[in-house]
Structure formats: structure tokens, C-alpha cells
Amino acid sequence: MRGNLPSAGKWGLPGGVVELGETLEEAVVREVMEETSVHVKPVKLLTLFNSIRKDESGGVKYHYVLFEYLCEYVSGEVKARSDAPDARWVALDNLDGVDLMRSTKAFILRLLDSDFTPF
């Protein structure tokens, strides 16, 4: 669950800022660990996209470049850390059971409807 704006209180995938000198894969490992206490191994880049939110006057309020990786679970028990007030595994057949960010749910459903093969 997101603890900060935008989308505070909504569920989404772990993520954050890529630090200077850090590869995307290193950022994925660090961010997942920081937010969930789980160690993962990035396996495959699934997609890149822009998330742009505008304010009431039409100006850009937030602009994020998001990269979504398929990851392999390595170790750890899921528990919330850093800016995530809650963290948990959610079964694909229970996506409606959490207040998921609209863009995250759309991404997951597109992935499931595609010819996606995880490995």
C-alpha cells in the first residue's frame, strides 16, 4: 500500500527512485527490499511507460517513468517497511479485494490477457 502521494492509501507494486549510478535491476532489488522486506531477482523487463498526472489548471503535477519487471522470489517474509504502511501478497483472483491503483490493475490485466510467458 502506498504511503505517499500520489495515490496514498491505494495498493500498487513496489517502486521508487533510481539512485545515481544504480542500474534499473539494482533499483528493483533495493526498492522491493525497502518496501516489503523481500529479496527478489529481476528476470525480465515487461514494460516501460510514463505516468503523468496533471493539476486542476492542466500543469504537470507528477511525471514518472515506470519500468515493470518480472521478478523471481529469493527470500524474506513480506512485511511493510519505509513508505509502505502495509505490504502483502495478493492472489491474482483477488485483485478486486484490495483498493488497487487503476493503472496497476490495468497493467496486470493486460499482462494476463497477453501471450505472456514468465520465463
Side-chain angles (χ1 to χ4, degrees):
M1 176 186 293
R2 290 193 50 83
N4 298 318
L5 293 174
S7 302
K10 298 270 190 185
W11 287 88
L13 301 172
V17 175
V18 177
E19 295 177 356
L20 184 63
E22 188 174 52
T23 67
L24 295 180
E25 293 82 4
E26 290 167 340
V28 168
V29 171
R30 179 183 50 74
E31 284 291 341
V32 172
M33 176 58 78
E34 284 179 0
E35 294 183 9
T36 69
S37 301
V38 171
H39 181 70
V40 297
K41 175 184 173 188
V43 174
K44 180 179 181 180
L45 177 63
L46 299 174
T47 192
L48 287 168
F49 61 94
N50 290 286
S51 176
I52 301 170
R53 300 214 180 162
K54 298 191 175 184
D55 60 23
E56 300 78 31
S57 65
V60 175
K61 187 172 184 176
Y62 300 104
H63 182 181
Y64 298 100
V65 177
L66 303 171
F67 51 95
E68 302 294 349
Y69 272 86
L70 172 67
C71 292
E72 179 181 332
Y73 168 84
V74 176
S75 64
E77 185 176 324
V78 177
K79 62 181 176 181
R81 293 177 57 188
S82 85
D83 70 336
D86 197 0
R88 67 177 80 149
W89 297 109
V90 176
L92 292 173
D93 61 357
N94 191 33
L95 293 180
D96 290 329
V98 293
D99 190 9
L100 199 58
M101 290 186 298
R102 185 176 47 225
S103 59
T104 301
K105 185 174 182 179
F107 165 70
I108 293 169
L109 293 176
R110 273 194 318 272
L111 189 63
L112 293 174
D113 286 342
S114 72
D115 293 330
F116 170 70
T117 53
F119 302 99

